[in-house]
Amino acid sequence: EAVDAWISNGLRGSIIYSSGTGKTEIAFESARRAADIISVTSSPPSDYPMAILILVPRIVLIAQYLKRLLNYGIPDDKIGVYFGERKEIREITISTYQSVTYNPGLIRRSKMIIFDEVHLVSDTSRVLRKVFDIAVEDSSKALLGLTATIDEQDPRYNTIITVLPPVKKFMLKEAIKEGRLTKPVVIPMQVRFTDKEQELYDTYSTKIRNISSRFKRYDATSMSLLLRKGGFVGGLARAWFL
């Protein structure tokens, strides 16, 4: 149903599925189906008939995607990884958001891009937004966003919601109700600080509270905006995070 919804929306959209409910499987099936739809003569030209780019936020996820693709029997010479000193561009290329900012051509050559953890490409992240801006240059490019959660009312995600609107949702409550996931059980475990730990905790809490009061900013998102100002203000904001 998720794949059908994505295809019906013109090969563009986001899948909002709770962790553990199959986002990766949906992505692979979407790519398989898209390969049958996208013409091999579409622009831009590519060395491969269906160039697929999988973008992940962390290097450790590259290995996970690579292992799963190989387990499906896809030949390893069809899969490349692009990060650090490894620069393998193949029919399926797995890379990090950070890595492709230095090679926009990798984005442009791809006929399908899978954005893992797409909520990270928010309007407040300049580096990640650069990737997104290049990806939407070609209106024929297939784009799929994957995320377990995204606040559709948050203005930071306006671009994502506009370009990659949610086409199918399967949240934690539904997954538990249908027996797809086990209901989580939270067991609080009380611990005690050592005298030194308590002293550090009190000291840092006081510093955080004082800086927040000075700027009337109490959350990481609003405080991060002060980092860009530099100087004395930026220094205090940096101290708040430290």
Side-chain angles (χ1 to χ4, degrees), residues 121-134 159:
V121 198
S122 68
D123 290 351
T124 58
S125 175
R126 293 183 179 180
V127 174
L128 301 185
R129 271 298 309 279
K130 179 182 177 182
V131 175
F132 202 64
D133 289 342
I134 298 173
T159 302

Side-chain angles (χ1 to χ4, degrees), residues 58-179:
R58 296 176 298 279
I59 292 177
V60 66
L61 294 176
I62 291 181
Q64 292 180 18
Y65 266 95
L66 178 60
K67 180 179 179 181
R68 188 165 311 182
L69 286 167
L70 291 174
N71 285 341
Y72 276 119
I74 296 177
D76 57 4
D77 62 347
K78 298 288 186 181
I79 311 169
V81 297
Y82 192 97
F83 72 96
E85 296 183 357
R86 294 186 65 179
K87 300 290 192 297
E88 306 161 357
I89 301 177
R90 306 277 171 75
E91 186 167 356
I92 301 173
T93 304
I94 314 168
S95 183
T96 65
Y97 288 105
Q98 191 72 34
S99 295
V100 295
T101 59
Y102 301 106
N103 184 6
L106 186 59
I107 305 171
R108 292 190 173 100
R109 72 176 282 280
S110 302
K111 295 182 180 178
M112 177 177 180
I113 301 179
I114 297 171
F115 297 88
D116 197 8
E117 307 287 356
V118 70
H119 57 273
L120 295 176
V121 198
S122 68
D123 290 351
T124 58
S125 175
R126 293 183 179 180
V127 174
L128 301 185
R129 271 298 309 279
K130 179 182 177 182
V131 175
F132 202 64
D133 289 342
I134 298 173
V136 299
E137 290 175 353
D138 182 1
S139 60
S140 67
K141 197 184 301 292
L143 303 176
L144 173 64
L146 306 175
T147 181
T149 177
I150 189 170
D151 185 352
E152 297 174 51
Q153 308 305 316
D154 192 325
R156 291 180 300 168
Y157 304 118
N158 283 344
T159 302
I160 296 175
I161 298 303
T162 300
V163 179
L164 297 179
V167 294
K168 184 69 176 176
K169 301 179 184 179
F170 190 51
M171 308 312 292
L172 181 63
K173 185 176 181 180
E174 298 174 77
I176 294 173
K177 183 178 180 180
E178 292 190 14

Side-chain angles (χ1 to χ4, degrees), residues 204-215:
Y204 296 148
S205 295
T206 299
K207 288 182 179 179
I208 291 171
R209 188 162 50 248
N210 289 342
I211 295 174
S212 288
S213 297
R214 183 186 186 99
F215 297 114

